[in-house]
Amino acid sequence: MASTSRTIVLIHGYGFVSRIWNPVEEAFIGYNVVRLSLPGFGDDPFSGAYSIESLAMHFWEELESQGESTVHLVGHSMGGYVCMEMLAQQPDRVASLCLLHSHVFADSEEKKKARTAILEEIQTTGREAFVRRMIGSMVFDKTLHATLIENLITRGLLYGDDAWYNGTLAIRDRKDHADTLKNFPGPCLMIMGESDTAVPVSLAFKQAALVVHGKLIVYPNVGHLAMYENTAQHIDDLINFYRGQ
């Protein structure tokens, strides 16, 4: 049964801002689109507690202040982690779910150690080397998207060490939401990049097995930024998904 909700909530990923949705915004024509921003990145300053749980609570409060009840959640990367926590907190308010280059599993101990090393690097030497390294690895074809990478690095360096530090800490300490996804009865779209080094495609297949009413799409020769790397197909896939909502 199609949902009566006409509000799509877009939550960008770690190190980015809401403009990351601009290339695919035509996919959401006809909907009321709400773009939520992770504090510290872009215009929203960081203040108070910074965890996936607190961000989810804050976003629900923001949606309530705008009079939004049931919504379609779309999250890229860290934004997907926040979407899953929002789903766990208020499952009756989520009409559908779209996870873009994101997954529902907690970090392994090895991954947590790697994130702890990043935290220590930011504290010791600042964000610059990490930001250049991380964003430089985001796309599959680095030659084709060289200008995009440089632009994203330039933007990323505008955000303070606190944003990068607190974002990393929140990601490292997030909950596992495999059961949350497994218990979600609504439609779920998962879009992944076959060459994504941040979210290995193996995790995509693992979480797809949990979904009751879901679809997994894996783009070949795409890294972590499908909205830039595979724009036209990404738009089509989003339109086809929301056509039935």
Side-chain angles (χ1 to χ4, degrees), residues 1 5 17 21 44 76 90 128 133 186 192 207 220 245:
M1 181 180 295
S5 174
V17 292
W21 303 110
D44 291 347
H76 171 245
Q90 300 201 41
E128 182 164 353
R133 188 171 68 248
M192 305 290 182
Q207 76 176 4
Q245 309 305 321

Side-chain angles (χ1 to χ4, degrees), residues 55-186:
L55 289 171
M57 292 176 64
H58 170 69
F59 286 160
W60 276 130
E61 290 171 359
E62 188 170 339
L63 290 169
E64 287 172 5
S65 72
Q66 297 181 28
E68 301 295 347
S69 179
T70 304
V71 298
H72 301 273
L73 292 179
V74 183
H76 171 245
S77 195
M78 180 180 174
Y81 302 153
V82 178
C83 285
M84 290 309 304
E85 180 62 31
M86 291 176 71
L87 174 61
Q89 290 179 7
Q90 300 201 41
D92 293 340
R93 296 181 63 185
V94 180
S96 73
L97 181 67
C98 177
L99 299 177
L100 175 60
H101 302 299
S102 190
H103 65 89
V104 300
F105 307 107
D107 275 351
S108 65
E109 288 305 313
E110 181 180 2
K111 190 69 174 179
K112 286 182 179 181
K113 289 180 181 178
R115 296 201 199 277
T116 299
I118 292 169
L119 294 172
E120 294 171 353
E121 178 184 354
I122 294 171
Q123 281 186 316
T124 304
T125 63
R127 66 194 178 279
E128 182 164 353
F130 166 65
V131 170
R132 291 186 180 279
R133 188 171 68 248
M134 186 201 81
I135 294 179
S137 69
M138 286 285 173
V139 302
F140 170 71
D141 191 331
K142 295 175 177 55
T143 300
L144 178 63
H145 297 291
T147 300
L148 170 66
I149 291 172
E150 285 306 311
N151 288 340
L152 291 175
I153 289 173
T154 299
R155 292 178 200 164
L157 292 175
L158 296 175
Y159 317 136
D161 288 353
D162 283 350
W164 290 100
Y165 184 92
N166 288 296
T168 301
L169 187 64
I171 292 171
R172 186 195 69 179
D173 295 342
R174 72 189 187 279
K175 297 177 183 175
D176 187 285
H177 279 299
D179 285 343
T180 304
L181 183 62
K182 187 175 182 179
N183 294 327
F184 178 54

